[in-house]
Amino acid sequence: MAYILSQFTKPSPPCFRSLMRAANPIRHLATASSKSAENQQIQVSESCLKRLREICTDGSFLRVTVEGGGCSGFQYKFDLDSKLNDDDRQFGEDKAKVVIDTISLDYCNGATVDYHSELIRAGFRMIANPLAEQGCSCGSSFSIKL
């Protein structure tokens, strides 16, 4: 799915840019970003760091990915992983790392990764995503502000 999202961010010839912006507002959002990858970031809550310290004792980390799907168009995916890729950005601390690829970061820049526990479920979630317009009640899918 990251490959499909990467297709949205590939540059197009100048003569087709205005046509593509009109035809695909999500592509326009991804290519119009004025922030470089170094300036993009996500926040990691203290509850997320605490939970990662408990479960990532073998050098693994939490990988966050944005995929197409869900009831609102995009969805967050959380996995434990131990392999870093070339386009990954790391947040958090050494023993409690959150890793996200640069394409997924374009869709959740400025958001916070949190760990939430309640009576019927517990898990990681993305909260306060400034790029999300709306989401479903379960909190795992969202749509992009245009």
Side-chain angles (χ1 to χ4, degrees), residues 38-85:
E38 293 78 32
N39 292 336
Q40 293 181 320
Q41 63 180 350
I42 56 174
Q43 306 301 315
V44 182
S45 73
E46 188 57 42
S47 63
C48 179
L49 291 172
K50 179 181 177 200
R51 183 64 179 145
L52 287 174
R53 284 185 212 110
E54 295 170 358
I55 63 175
C56 295
T57 57
D58 59 351
S60 59
F61 51 81
L62 180 69
R63 177 173 295 282
V64 179
T65 311
V66 174
E67 296 182 338
C71 50
S72 297
F74 293 96
Q75 61 188 359
Y76 303 110
K77 183 178 173 190
F78 300 95
D79 294 306
L80 290 180
D81 196 355
S82 58
K83 181 180 178 251
L84 285 171
N85 299 320

Short mmCIF file of all heavy atoms in Angstrom, two decimals, residues 38-85:
data_model
loop_
_atom_site.label_atom_id
_atom_site.label_comp_id
_atom_site.label_asym_id
_atom_site.label_seq_id
_atom_site.Cartn_x
_atom_site.Cartn_y
_atom_site.Cartn_z
N GLU A 38 12.57 16.67 6.94
CA GLU A 38 13.21 16.91 8.22
C GLU A 38 12.32 17.71 9.17
O GLU A 38 12.45 17.62 10.37
CB GLU A 38 14.54 17.66 8.03
CG GLU A 38 15.61 16.84 7.34
CD GLU A 38 15.42 16.75 5.83
OE1 GLU A 38 14.91 17.71 5.22
OE2 GLU A 38 15.77 15.71 5.26
N ASN A 39 11.43 18.53 8.64
CA ASN A 39 10.56 19.35 9.47
C ASN A 39 9.28 18.62 9.87
O ASN A 39 8.57 19.09 10.74
CB ASN A 39 10.19 20.64 8.76
CG ASN A 39 11.38 21.55 8.61
OD1 ASN A 39 12.34 21.47 9.36
ND2 ASN A 39 11.35 22.41 7.62
N GLN A 40 8.99 17.51 9.23
CA GLN A 40 7.78 16.77 9.55
C GLN A 40 8.01 15.91 10.79
O GLN A 40 9.09 15.34 10.96
CB GLN A 40 7.36 15.88 8.38
CG GLN A 40 6.91 16.67 7.18
CD GLN A 40 6.49 15.75 6.06
OE1 GLN A 40 7.12 14.74 5.81
NE2 GLN A 40 5.42 16.13 5.39
N GLN A 41 7.00 15.83 11.62
CA GLN A 41 7.15 15.01 12.81
C GLN A 41 5.80 14.59 13.36
O GLN A 41 4.77 15.16 13.02
CB GLN A 41 7.95 15.73 13.88
CG GLN A 41 7.33 16.99 14.40
CD GLN A 41 8.22 17.61 15.46
OE1 GLN A 41 9.18 17.02 15.93
NE2 GLN A 41 7.87 18.82 15.89
N ILE A 42 5.85 13.57 14.19
CA ILE A 42 4.69 13.16 14.96
C ILE A 42 5.10 13.19 16.43
O ILE A 42 6.28 13.11 16.77
CB ILE A 42 4.18 11.76 14.57
CG1 ILE A 42 5.28 10.71 14.67
CG2 ILE A 42 3.56 11.77 13.19
CD1 ILE A 42 4.81 9.30 14.45
N GLN A 43 4.13 13.34 17.29
CA GLN A 43 4.37 13.34 18.73
C GLN A 43 4.10 11.93 19.25
O GLN A 43 3.30 11.20 18.69
CB GLN A 43 3.44 14.33 19.42
CG GLN A 43 3.48 15.74 18.85
CD GLN A 43 4.86 16.34 18.94
OE1 GLN A 43 5.52 16.25 19.95
NE2 GLN A 43 5.30 16.96 17.86
N VAL A 44 4.76 11.57 20.33
CA VAL A 44 4.55 10.28 20.97
C VAL A 44 4.16 10.54 22.42
O VAL A 44 4.91 11.19 23.16
CB VAL A 44 5.82 9.40 20.90
CG1 VAL A 44 5.57 8.04 21.53
CG2 VAL A 44 6.30 9.24 19.46
N SER A 45 2.98 10.08 22.81
CA SER A 45 2.50 10.35 24.17
C SER A 45 3.27 9.53 25.20
O SER A 45 3.89 8.51 24.88
CB SER A 45 1.00 10.03 24.28
OG SER A 45 0.80 8.63 24.26
N GLU A 46 3.19 9.95 26.44
CA GLU A 46 3.87 9.23 27.52
C GLU A 46 3.30 7.83 27.70
O GLU A 46 4.03 6.88 27.98
CB GLU A 46 3.78 10.03 28.83
CG GLU A 46 4.62 9.47 29.95
CD GLU A 46 6.10 9.33 29.60
OE1 GLU A 46 6.67 10.23 28.97
OE2 GLU A 46 6.70 8.29 29.97
N SER A 47 1.98 7.67 27.53
CA SER A 47 1.38 6.33 27.66
C SER A 47 1.87 5.40 26.55
O SER A 47 2.08 4.21 26.79
CB SER A 47 -0.15 6.41 27.66
OG SER A 47 -0.62 6.93 26.43
N CYS A 48 2.11 5.93 25.37
CA CYS A 48 2.66 5.15 24.26
C CYS A 48 4.09 4.73 24.58
O CYS A 48 4.47 3.56 24.40
CB CYS A 48 2.59 5.95 22.97
SG CYS A 48 3.28 5.10 21.54
N LEU A 49 4.90 5.66 25.05
CA LEU A 49 6.28 5.34 25.42
C LEU A 49 6.33 4.29 26.52
O LEU A 49 7.14 3.34 26.46
CB LEU A 49 7.02 6.60 25.86
CG LEU A 49 7.31 7.64 24.78
CD1 LEU A 49 7.87 8.91 25.40
CD2 LEU A 49 8.24 7.10 23.72
N LYS A 50 5.47 4.42 27.50
CA LYS A 50 5.45 3.46 28.61
C LYS A 50 5.12 2.06 28.11
O LYS A 50 5.79 1.09 28.47
CB LYS A 50 4.42 3.91 29.65
CG LYS A 50 4.32 2.97 30.83
CD LYS A 50 3.26 3.44 31.81
CE LYS A 50 3.14 2.42 32.93
NZ LYS A 50 1.89 2.52 33.65
N ARG A 51 4.11 1.94 27.26
CA ARG A 51 3.72 0.63 26.73
C ARG A 51 4.82 0.04 25.83
O ARG A 51 5.10 -1.16 25.88
CB ARG A 51 2.40 0.72 25.98
CG ARG A 51 1.90 -0.59 25.46
CD ARG A 51 1.58 -1.54 26.60
NE ARG A 51 1.08 -2.80 26.07
CZ ARG A 51 1.32 -3.97 26.59
NH1 ARG A 51 2.02 -4.07 27.71
NH2 ARG A 51 0.85 -5.06 26.04
N LEU A 52 5.46 0.88 25.03
CA LEU A 52 6.53 0.39 24.16
C LEU A 52 7.73 -0.09 24.97
O LEU A 52 8.38 -1.08 24.60
CB LEU A 52 6.95 1.48 23.17
CG LEU A 52 5.95 1.77 22.05
CD1 LEU A 52 6.41 2.95 21.23
CD2 LEU A 52 5.75 0.54 21.18
N ARG A 53 8.03 0.56 26.09
CA ARG A 53 9.11 0.09 26.96
C ARG A 53 8.82 -1.30 27.51
O ARG A 53 9.72 -2.11 27.72
CB ARG A 53 9.33 1.08 28.12
CG ARG A 53 10.05 2.33 27.73
CD ARG A 53 10.34 3.20 28.97
NE ARG A 53 10.32 4.60 28.61
CZ ARG A 53 9.39 5.48 28.96
NH1 ARG A 53 8.39 5.13 29.75
NH2 ARG A 53 9.46 6.73 28.56
N GLU A 54 7.53 -1.58 27.72
CA GLU A 54 7.13 -2.89 28.24
C GLU A 54 7.21 -3.99 27.19
O GLU A 54 7.60 -5.11 27.50
CB GLU A 54 5.69 -2.82 28.79
CG GLU A 54 5.51 -1.92 29.97
CD GLU A 54 4.05 -1.68 30.32
OE1 GLU A 54 3.15 -2.18 29.61
OE2 GLU A 54 3.82 -0.97 31.32
N ILE A 55 6.85 -3.70 25.96
CA ILE A 55 6.73 -4.76 24.96
C ILE A 55 7.88 -4.83 23.96
O ILE A 55 8.04 -5.84 23.29
CB ILE A 55 5.39 -4.65 24.18
CG1 ILE A 55 5.30 -3.35 23.39
CG2 ILE A 55 4.22 -4.82 25.13
CD1 ILE A 55 4.07 -3.24 22.52
N CYS A 56 8.69 -3.82 23.86
CA CYS A 56 9.79 -3.80 22.88
C CYS A 56 11.13 -4.05 23.57
O CYS A 56 12.03 -3.23 23.51
CB CYS A 56 9.81 -2.47 22.12
SG CYS A 56 8.38 -2.22 21.10
N THR A 57 11.26 -5.21 24.19
CA THR A 57 12.48 -5.53 24.91
C THR A 57 13.54 -6.18 24.02
O THR A 57 14.69 -6.31 24.42
CB THR A 57 12.17 -6.48 26.08
OG1 THR A 57 11.52 -7.64 25.57
CG2 THR A 57 11.27 -5.78 27.10
N ASP A 58 13.16 -6.58 22.81
CA ASP A 58 14.08 -7.29 21.91
C ASP A 58 14.61 -6.40 20.78
O ASP A 58 15.08 -6.90 19.77
CB ASP A 58 13.39 -8.51 21.32
CG ASP A 58 12.13 -8.16 20.53
OD1 ASP A 58 11.71 -6.98 20.58
OD2 ASP A 58 11.59 -9.05 19.85
N GLY A 59 14.52 -5.10 20.93
CA GLY A 59 14.99 -4.19 19.89
C GLY A 59 13.95 -3.87 18.84
O GLY A 59 14.25 -3.19 17.86
N SER A 60 12.73 -4.33 19.02
CA SER A 60 11.68 -4.02 18.05
C SER A 60 11.13 -2.62 18.32
O SER A 60 11.46 -1.97 19.31
CB SER A 60 10.56 -5.06 18.12
OG SER A 60 10.00 -5.10 19.41
N PHE A 61 10.28 -2.15 17.42
CA PHE A 61 9.69 -0.82 17.53
C PHE A 61 8.30 -0.85 16.94
O PHE A 61 7.91 -1.81 16.28
CB PHE A 61 10.56 0.23 16.82
CG PHE A 61 10.93 -0.14 15.41
CD1 PHE A 61 10.07 0.05 14.35
CD2 PHE A 61 12.18 -0.71 15.15
CE1 PHE A 61 10.41 -0.30 13.06
CE2 PHE A 61 12.55 -1.06 13.87
CZ PHE A 61 11.65 -0.86 12.81
N LEU A 62 7.54 0.21 17.19
CA LEU A 62 6.20 0.34 16.64
C LEU A 62 6.29 1.00 15.27
O LEU A 62 6.82 2.10 15.14
CB LEU A 62 5.32 1.18 17.57
CG LEU A 62 3.88 1.40 17.10
CD1 LEU A 62 3.10 0.08 17.15
CD2 LEU A 62 3.19 2.45 17.96
N ARG A 63 5.79 0.32 14.24
CA ARG A 63 5.74 0.89 12.90
C ARG A 63 4.32 1.38 12.64
O ARG A 63 3.36 0.64 12.80
CB ARG A 63 6.13 -0.14 11.84
CG ARG A 63 6.01 0.42 10.42
CD ARG A 63 6.54 -0.50 9.38
NE ARG A 63 7.98 -0.72 9.51
CZ ARG A 63 8.90 0.15 9.10
NH1 ARG A 63 8.55 1.31 8.58
NH2 ARG A 63 10.19 -0.14 9.24
N VAL A 64 4.21 2.64 12.24
CA VAL A 64 2.93 3.24 11.87
C VAL A 64 2.91 3.40 10.36
O VAL A 64 3.86 3.93 9.77
CB VAL A 64 2.74 4.62 12.55
CG1 VAL A 64 1.43 5.24 12.14
CG2 VAL A 64 2.84 4.49 14.05
N THR A 65 1.83 2.95 9.75
CA THR A 65 1.67 3.05 8.30
C THR A 65 0.28 3.60 8.01
O THR A 65 -0.67 3.28 8.72
CB THR A 65 1.81 1.66 7.64
OG1 THR A 65 2.97 1.02 8.13
CG2 THR A 65 1.89 1.76 6.14
N VAL A 66 0.17 4.40 6.98
CA VAL A 66 -1.13 4.87 6.50
C VAL A 66 -1.42 4.11 5.22
O VAL A 66 -0.61 4.09 4.29
CB VAL A 66 -1.14 6.39 6.25
CG1 VAL A 66 -2.45 6.82 5.62
CG2 VAL A 66 -0.89 7.14 7.54
N GLU A 67 -2.60 3.49 5.16
CA GLU A 67 -3.02 2.72 4.00
C GLU A 67 -4.34 3.25 3.49
O GLU A 67 -5.12 3.83 4.25
CB GLU A 67 -3.20 1.24 4.37
CG GLU A 67 -1.97 0.53 4.81
CD GLU A 67 -2.23 -0.94 5.12
OE1 GLU A 67 -3.39 -1.30 5.40
OE2 GLU A 67 -1.27 -1.71 5.08
N GLY A 68 -4.61 3.01 2.24
CA GLY A 68 -5.93 3.30 1.69
C GLY A 68 -6.91 2.28 2.21
O GLY A 68 -6.58 1.10 2.34
N GLY A 69 -8.11 2.71 2.53
CA GLY A 69 -9.12 1.78 3.02
C GLY A 69 -9.84 2.34 4.22
O GLY A 69 -9.72 3.51 4.56
N GLY A 70 -10.58 1.48 4.89
CA GLY A 70 -11.36 1.92 6.03
C GLY A 70 -12.63 2.63 5.57
O GLY A 70 -12.83 2.87 4.39
N CYS A 71 -13.45 2.99 6.48
CA CYS A 71 -14.73 3.60 6.11
C CYS A 71 -14.60 5.07 5.74
O CYS A 71 -15.55 5.66 5.22
CB CYS A 71 -15.75 3.41 7.22
SG CYS A 71 -15.20 3.86 8.85
N SER A 72 -13.44 5.69 5.97
CA SER A 72 -13.28 7.11 5.65
C SER A 72 -12.25 7.38 4.55
O SER A 72 -11.98 8.53 4.25
CB SER A 72 -12.89 7.89 6.90
OG SER A 72 -13.91 7.82 7.87
N GLY A 73 -11.64 6.36 3.98
CA GLY A 73 -10.71 6.57 2.88
C GLY A 73 -9.28 6.14 3.17
O GLY A 73 -8.61 5.56 2.34
N PHE A 74 -8.77 6.45 4.37
CA PHE A 74 -7.43 6.05 4.78
C PHE A 74 -7.52 5.43 6.16
O PHE A 74 -8.43 5.75 6.93
CB PHE A 74 -6.48 7.26 4.85
CG PHE A 74 -6.19 7.86 3.52
CD1 PHE A 74 -6.92 8.96 3.06
CD2 PHE A 74 -5.20 7.34 2.70
CE1 PHE A 74 -6.65 9.53 1.84
CE2 PHE A 74 -4.93 7.90 1.46
CZ PHE A 74 -5.65 8.99 1.03
N GLN A 75 -6.57 4.56 6.48
CA GLN A 75 -6.56 3.95 7.80
C GLN A 75 -5.14 3.83 8.34
O GLN A 75 -4.19 3.72 7.57
CB GLN A 75 -7.24 2.59 7.81
CG GLN A 75 -6.60 1.57 6.92
CD GLN A 75 -7.43 0.30 6.83
OE1 GLN A 75 -8.49 0.19 7.45
NE2 GLN A 75 -6.97 -0.66 6.07
N TYR A 76 -5.04 3.89 9.65
CA TYR A 76 -3.76 3.73 10.32
C TYR A 76 -3.52 2.24 10.57
O TYR A 76 -4.45 1.51 10.92
CB TYR A 76 -3.75 4.44 11.68
CG TYR A 76 -4.07 5.91 11.60
CD1 TYR A 76 -5.26 6.41 12.10
CD2 TYR A 76 -3.16 6.80 11.05
CE1 TYR A 76 -5.55 7.76 12.06
CE2 TYR A 76 -3.44 8.16 10.99
CZ TYR A 76 -4.63 8.63 11.50
OH TYR A 76 -4.91 9.96 11.44
N LYS A 77 -2.28 1.82 10.41
CA LYS A 77 -1.91 0.44 10.71
C LYS A 77 -0.73 0.49 11.68
O LYS A 77 0.24 1.21 11.45
CB LYS A 77 -1.52 -0.27 9.42
CG LYS A 77 -1.19 -1.72 9.61
CD LYS A 77 -0.87 -2.35 8.26
CE LYS A 77 -0.38 -3.77 8.47
NZ LYS A 77 0.16 -4.34 7.24
N PHE A 78 -0.82 -0.29 12.76
CA PHE A 78 0.22 -0.34 13.79
C PHE A 78 0.76 -1.76 13.86
O PHE A 78 -0.01 -2.70 14.06
CB PHE A 78 -0.35 0.07 15.15
CG PHE A 78 -0.92 1.46 15.18
CD1 PHE A 78 -2.28 1.68 14.99
CD2 PHE A 78 -0.10 2.55 15.39
CE1 PHE A 78 -2.80 2.96 15.02
CE2 PHE A 78 -0.61 3.84 15.43
CZ PHE A 78 -1.97 4.04 15.23
N ASP A 79 2.07 -1.91 13.71
CA ASP A 79 2.72 -3.22 13.78
C ASP A 79 4.00 -3.10 14.57
O ASP A 79 4.64 -2.05 14.58
CB ASP A 79 3.10 -3.72 12.37
CG ASP A 79 1.89 -4.02 11.51
OD1 ASP A 79 1.03 -4.80 11.95
OD2 ASP A 79 1.81 -3.47 10.39
N LEU A 80 4.41 -4.21 15.18
CA LEU A 80 5.74 -4.28 15.77
C LEU A 80 6.68 -4.79 14.69
O LEU A 80 6.37 -5.73 13.97
CB LEU A 80 5.76 -5.21 16.98
CG LEU A 80 5.04 -4.70 18.21
CD1 LEU A 80 5.13 -5.71 19.34
CD2 LEU A 80 5.59 -3.36 18.66
N ASP A 81 7.83 -4.15 14.54
CA ASP A 81 8.77 -4.46 13.47
C ASP A 81 10.18 -4.34 14.04
O ASP A 81 10.39 -3.75 15.10
CB ASP A 81 8.57 -3.48 12.31
CG ASP A 81 9.20 -3.93 11.01
OD1 ASP A 81 9.89 -4.97 11.00
OD2 ASP A 81 9.02 -3.23 10.00
N SER A 82 11.15 -4.89 13.31
CA SER A 82 12.54 -4.76 13.75
C SER A 82 13.47 -4.36 12.61
O SER A 82 14.66 -4.25 12.80
CB SER A 82 13.02 -6.07 14.39
OG SER A 82 12.90 -7.13 13.46
N LYS A 83 12.91 -4.12 11.42
CA LYS A 83 13.73 -3.77 10.26
C LYS A 83 13.44 -2.34 9.83
O LYS A 83 12.30 -1.99 9.53
CB LYS A 83 13.43 -4.72 9.10
CG LYS A 83 14.25 -4.43 7.87
CD LYS A 83 13.91 -5.40 6.75
CE LYS A 83 14.72 -5.04 5.53
NZ LYS A 83 13.92 -4.47 4.49
N LEU A 84 14.47 -1.51 9.81
CA LEU A 84 14.33 -0.13 9.35
C LEU A 84 14.54 -0.06 7.84
O LEU A 84 15.40 -0.74 7.30
CB LEU A 84 15.36 0.78 10.03
CG LEU A 84 15.10 1.13 11.48
CD1 LEU A 84 16.29 1.84 12.08
CD2 LEU A 84 13.85 1.98 11.60
N ASN A 85 13.77 0.78 7.18
CA ASN A 85 13.91 1.02 5.75
C ASN A 85 14.59 2.37 5.53
O ASN A 85 14.67 3.19 6.44
CB ASN A 85 12.53 0.99 5.07
CG ASN A 85 11.86 -0.35 5.23
OD1 ASN A 85 12.49 -1.40 5.16
ND2 ASN A 85 10.56 -0.32 5.49
#
